[in-house]
Amino acid sequence: MEKETEESKEYDVIIVGAGFAGPVAAVKCARAGLKTLMLERSARVGEKVISGLTIPFHGFLFGPDFIREGNPPIERPVDGIINYIIRDIDSCDIEIDDSLRIPKPFSPVIAFGYNAYCRPFCEWEAQMAVNAGCELRTSTTVADVIKEDGKVAGVITEDGERIRARIVIDAEGSQGLVAVKAGVREKYPPEVISLADVYDYEMSKEDVDTVLGHTLRFCWAWDEENLAPPLGYGNGLMVWPYRRSVHFCQDQCLSLGEGRVSNLRKAFLEYHRNITTKLPWWRDEVQPRVKLRAHMWETFEIFVGLDKRLRNMPSCTDGMILIGDAAGLEGTELCDGVPAAWFSADIAADVAIEALFSNDTSKEFLKRYEERVRDHPMIQWSISGTNRYNLRFAQDLHDFEELKKYVHRGWGLACFTHVSTPLLKMILRFIREDPMIIDSWIRMFFRYYYNWVYERYDQRDFADRKGVNSAMKGTFSSFLFKSFIRGFAITLRFFSPFIRFAARVLEPVCVVANPLMGLLLPFFKGFLNFWAKLEPLTSRISDVSVELIKWSDPRIFERP
Amino acid sequence: MGVLALEMFPDEVPGVDWIGVTGDFVRVIDEKCDGCACCVRVCLGECFEIHDKKARVRSLARCMECAACWYVCPKEAIIFNWPQGGTGFRTDWG
Ligand SMILES: Cc1cc2nc3c(=O)[nH]c(=O)nc-3n(C[C@H](O)[C@H](O)[C@H](O)COP(=O)(O)OP(=O)(O)OC[C@H]3O[C@@H](n4cnc5c(N)ncnc54)[C@H](O)[C@@H]3O)c2cc1C
Ligand code: SF4
Ligand code: SF4
């Protein structure tokens, strides 16, 4: 099917796929002055990306600066997770674990993550890449790579057009058709692939605010309940509150090992019916207020990081680097692939730039990408969590205490026994590099909240400062925030050398954070219980700060 | 199976559009297929049917390009490609 076309242009970098990862690599390459082309098979960017989606806070804190400093379209800030652990649905024997919550007064401004629809979010990212000078071609499917002397030298589109590039960054997502064809990695086996059955329901904003608020809801049940897909193979039901809608996903591994493939169509249909008619909060509070808007399904990789052989599969070859889901970097616990997609895209762009400037795109050189991914504490944490996987043993034993234990470790407060060290390591790395990052983080949380309230996003018209309902209030709150942010920045700058030094000293020590959290967890819980008792006061403070943010001038929260 | 399909898709798949002439991007290689029906069981779009102990693509009109069929086929009998650029499913609600 290769057409005899003249080899059109030559690019420095070609990026395959404009999902979450591709545009991040594109922005960095284009900003470095490289001639960059991004190819996307859909007609409009993001319209073929199906996801959850809560992008956890660490993606924003440690991800690309154009996202942290930008105004991407978000659907709702998230303040934590409520887990429903279901023993018997008919007698409503359900236990709740809602220990993973950002406490007031920090919530909902300081968020656990942000919910988003993929189409507008990926489109926003791609526009940022175009603004940075990247060329974007949609409706173009990459069918294969050009190989010269065993080295990748560009891509071949479905129409046979050959487009040459010095380096190809593959951000095509989990199926990895191009990566498999190019011989970089194998096709993943069905045991590590989960099929997600996704529904989107319209609901008025007021109803989402009062019924679901800012909290994700996860459900875990025994097989016999026919409610959430069988836990035995690490699956669940997740409900995300969006701005004016509720997103719902049930997922199930494609194969249960030994080649057993169950009738997922039948199972999903039954579960969906049972959830919507039996689960008390859905049946009574959500169902009467929603209208089904969309039904979609998509596969995603779930346990790639837990399989040693798959994990050690290469993610680069001569002239080509895989990033995001294409490289198997989907999380094993929260199914949160976006942060790792962003981090790996950032790293790949750095390595591509270094490779092109050193005129060496050999596999040996590009291996530094793999090394940096292996050295990234948050990527490694997210692809190696075992709690969701271990739920299968609780299921086999039918042991409710075990089940609760893994849920608590995976999506409850006890996650701090495994996330504290990598999180602290990243925080200290960033602070050591530039203490002023703390200022960016704080401004980001404030700005994102403001943006959420007023739907203030880049590339979209909005009445700036329409929230300022009185000039007095606006001046007052703007003055307050300006003083706070300026004061904080000045203090930070003043203590910079000391903060840098402290970060350097603390970095090696933070390996003790996980075991320490293990020991301190009971005290931590006790403290949070005490803190919860202050709720009337902390809620009031939270309400006031939210009001102040609403009255402010959002430019205060932008990069100075 | 027919009854099940009616239950799942009363009319159509809401919130998703299918565009253009996609081409036969999912195909079954007859010689390799042993009729195990794994593809039929995982395809939420009801794209496959078993005919004479072999799977065949019934219609790709509700294919969400998820590749589940390609992953589960134990005989590597499914050829899976993307549809022609700019065609196939699209949604605003993913
Ligand atoms: C149901 C579900 C729920 C999820 N929930 C979460 C969550 O809550 N939080 C989270 O962080 N992550 C979540 N994820 C994971 C997240 O969606 C992925 O990790 C993320 O999309 C990966 O980004 P990517 O850029 O690597 O791939 P993708 O976002 O999949 O992008 C790939 C892009 O490449 C294009 N493409 C593919 N092949 C070609 C080709 N040959 N030529 C041209 N273009 C091509 C595609 O059209 C697409 O636009 C979820 C995933 C699913 C399926
Ligand atoms: S890609 Fe998915 S929807 Fe399409 S035929 Fe295969 S299993 Fe069915
Ligand atoms: S899964 Fe493969 S072998 Fe089994 S029926 Fe389908 S195409 Fe044939």
Side-chain angles (χ1 to χ4, degrees):
Chain A
M1 76 177 224
E2 247 171 61
K3 238 186 339 196
E4 278 297 313
T5 44
E6 61 185 290
E7 296 202 336
S8 35
K9 289 188 215 163
E10 163 138 8
Y11 290 87
D12 292 318
V13 185
I14 287 181
I15 292 158
V16 182
F20 282 93
V24 168
V27 167
K28 210 169 208 176
C29 291
R31 280 187 185 169
L34 300 177
K35 197 169 170 212
T36 310
L37 171 69
M38 183 157 59
L39 299 170
E40 167 55 50
R41 69 185 187 91
S42 59
R44 187 173 180 183
V45 170
E47 66 182 5
K48 283 191 190 280
V49 184
I50 297 172
S51 190
L53 163 92
T54 299
I55 308 175
F57 70 99
H58 60 262
F60 295 90
L61 296 192
F62 315 129
D65 59 353
F66 79 90
I67 298 180
R68 187 167 49 247
E69 296 292 350
N71 303 298
I74 51 169
E75 281 289 322
R76 188 173 284 262
V78 175
D79 69 1
I81 301 172
I82 308 179
N83 293 282
Y84 295 85
I85 312 170
I86 301 163
R87 209 189 314 239
D88 179 42
I89 190 67
D90 293 315
S91 61
C92 286
D93 186 356
I94 301 172
E95 283 197 36
I96 290 177
D97 182 340
D98 62 352
S99 53
L100 191 63
R101 291 284 279 274
I102 307 256
K104 298 258 174 190
F106 306 106
S107 126
V109 177
I110 307 295
F112 167 84
Y114 296 93
N115 291 342
Y117 280 115
C118 299
R119 210 265 298 132
F121 203 106
C122 293
E123 207 168 34
W124 175 86
E125 281 189 32
Q127 186 58 47
M128 300 305 270
V130 170
N131 294 351
C134 166
E135 196 180 318
L136 170 68
R137 259 170 72 176
T138 53
S139 299
T140 308
T141 306
V142 172
D144 206 345
V145 294
I146 303 175
K147 274 207 171 170
E148 275 168 14
D149 309 323
K151 196 174 173 319
V152 174
V155 300
I156 307 172
T157 70
E158 61 200 333
D159 299 325
E161 186 187 355
R162 299 161 69 88
I163 314 174
R164 295 177 57 85
R166 294 164 72 198
I167 201 161
V168 173
I169 296 181
D170 182 7
E172 61 177 321
S174 59
Q175 288 87 1
L177 300 187
V178 179
V180 172
K181 217 162 188 180
V184 188
R185 71 155 166 90
E186 291 167 29
K187 169 183 172 182
Y188 294 135
E191 290 77 25
V192 299
I193 301 295
S194 205
L195 178 60
D197 188 29
V198 182
Y199 295 81
D200 188 70
Y201 291 91
E202 284 177 282
M203 192 180 198
S204 77
K205 179 167 179 298
E206 294 67 36
D207 283 341
V208 186
D209 286 345
T210 47
V211 176
L212 297 158
H214 291 274
T215 317
L216 308 179
R217 298 195 182 197
F218 291 1
C219 293
W220 313 96
W222 301 129
D223 284 6
E224 312 82 83
E225 300 297 315
N226 285 342
L227 201 71
L231 273 180
Y233 296 88
N235 313 285
L237 161 72
M238 302 165 196
V239 175
W240 293 268
Y242 280 9
R243 179 184 296 280
R244 295 182 197 89
S245 55
V246 184
H247 215 63
F248 169 119
C249 156
Q250 44 180 357
D251 74 280
Q252 163 74 57
C253 274
L254 284 176
S255 168
L256 308 184
E258 295 131 32
R260 277 183 301 145
V261 175
S262 46
N263 192 330
L264 292 186
R265 200 148 37 112
K266 183 160 168 276
F268 280 150
L269 178 64
E270 188 174 349
Y271 297 145
H272 184 248
R273 191 192 312 112
N274 287 345
I275 291 158
T276 48
T277 56
K278 288 186 178 181
L279 189 64
W281 57 267
W282 186 283
R283 180 192 59 205
D284 302 334
E285 296 176 59
V286 180
Q287 192 66 30
R289 297 178 173 85
V290 292
K291 186 167 158 265
L292 180 64
R293 175 162 62 187
H295 178 204
M296 303 144 283
W297 54 91
E298 168 65 315
T299 51
F300 66 101
E301 53 200 48
I302 172 87
F303 297 135
V304 173
L306 298 186
D307 183 313
K308 225 172 164 182
R309 194 181 64 87
L310 301 182
R311 194 173 177 172
N312 289 332
M313 266 184 205
S315 48
C316 67
T317 188
D318 294 293
M320 182 165 173
I321 301 177
L322 316 185
I323 62 175
D325 278 10
L329 298 179
E330 172 73 273
T332 49
E333 213 135 272
L334 284 170
C335 340
D336 53 333
V338 173
W342 288 348
F343 303 152
S344 62
D346 243 354
I347 298 172
D350 284 337
V351 172
I353 294 164
E354 291 163 24
L356 293 184
F357 282 104
S358 334
N359 217 359
D360 181 1
T361 57
S362 68
K363 186 172 180 179
E364 279 318 303
F365 191 99
L366 299 184
K367 270 191 175 160
R368 55 174 79 178
Y369 163 74
E370 290 179 350
E371 279 158 26
R372 287 181 208 173
V373 166
R374 260 198 300 277
D375 186 43
H376 194 290
M378 287 314 283
I379 296 182
Q380 292 306 316
W381 168 77
S382 92
I383 63 169
S384 61
T386 52
N387 291 299
R388 190 163 150 147
Y389 185 81
N390 280 341
L391 288 170
R392 73 170 67 191
F393 303 110
Q395 174 76 9
D396 279 348
L397 298 169
H398 230 275
D399 186 330
F400 201 70
E401 290 311 310
E402 281 284 292
L403 173 62
K404 283 193 333 197
K405 184 179 89 184
Y406 287 123
V407 169
H408 190 53
R409 278 198 198 162
W411 309 272
L413 198 63
C415 73
F416 282 104
T417 60
H418 51 89
V419 74
S420 299
T421 294
L423 192 59
L424 215 57
K425 254 191 197 161
M426 284 304 288
I427 292 176
L428 294 174
R429 258 191 205 183
F430 269 71
I431 292 181
R432 194 190 58 189
E433 207 55 35
D434 178 14
M436 293 312 287
I437 189 76
I438 304 173
D439 170 61
S440 305
W441 290 340
I442 292 176
R443 281 187 293 102
M444 182 199 87
F445 282 122
F446 286 148
R447 199 179 65 257
Y448 272 32
Y449 192 80
Y450 182 99
N451 291 352
W452 178 69
V453 172
Y454 296 117
E455 300 186 58
R456 170 185 182 262
Y457 307 125
D458 300 327
Q459 306 150 20
R460 196 194 280 186
D461 293 335
F462 73 102
D464 206 359
R465 303 195 61 193
K466 72 177 175 200
V468 183
N469 41 19
S470 107
M472 264 271 282
K473 282 176 177 173
T475 317
F476 169 69
S477 61
S478 295
F479 172 75
L480 216 66
F481 278 112
K482 218 180 223 162
S483 319
F484 169 70
I485 284 178
R486 286 268 167 81
F488 187 77
I490 291 168
T491 318
L492 213 54
R493 190 155 289 133
F494 183 77
F495 287 108
S496 260
F498 173 74
I499 297 172
R500 265 211 178 95
F501 174 75
R504 200 159 291 143
V505 173
L506 283 175
E507 213 186 305
V509 189
C510 61
V511 284
V512 300
N514 280 345
L516 201 63
M517 275 315 289
L519 287 174
L520 295 180
L521 208 59
F523 300 102
F524 198 35
K525 273 182 197 160
F527 176 74
L528 286 176
N529 284 340
F530 161 75
W531 193 261
K533 294 212 169 68
L534 304 177
E535 176 86 19
L537 176 70
T538 52
S539 274
R540 189 81 200 101
I541 300 174
S542 168
D543 292 347
V544 170
S545 53
V546 160
E547 278 307 297
L548 287 172
I549 290 176
K550 285 186 191 169
W551 295 339
S552 299
D553 181 341
R555 281 165 299 194
I556 295 168
F557 310 125
E558 312 241 289
R559 199 202 290 264
Chain B
M1 204 161 292
V3 177
L4 188 72
L6 284 178
E7 257 190 282
M8 188 152 182
F9 301 113
D11 286 316
E12 52 174 28
V13 187
V16 183
D17 302 314
W18 275 270
I19 313 285
V21 188
T22 57
D24 294 334
F25 59 100
V26 183
R27 277 175 292 153
V28 179
I29 308 171
D30 252 10
E31 299 75 56
K32 287 191 180 176
C33 172
D34 72 355
C36 70
C38 287
C39 53
V40 180
R41 287 200 289 275
V42 298
C43 179
L44 302 189
E46 302 201 287
C47 299
F48 296 93
E49 63 189 5
I50 300 287
H51 188 80
D52 279 347
K53 295 195 177 136
K54 300 274 182 199
R56 71 177 184 199
V57 176
R58 202 173 57 84
S59 155
L60 292 173
R62 284 175 187 159
C63 174
M64 205 77 71
E65 300 156 33
C66 71
C69 51
W70 176 68
Y71 282 120
V72 296
C73 176
K75 300 287 170 197
E76 300 280 334
I78 291 182
I79 299 180
F80 183 81
N81 279 305
W82 299 125
Q84 180 72 26
T87 73
F89 90 96
R90 75 162 303 280
T91 182
D92 288 320
W93 314 115

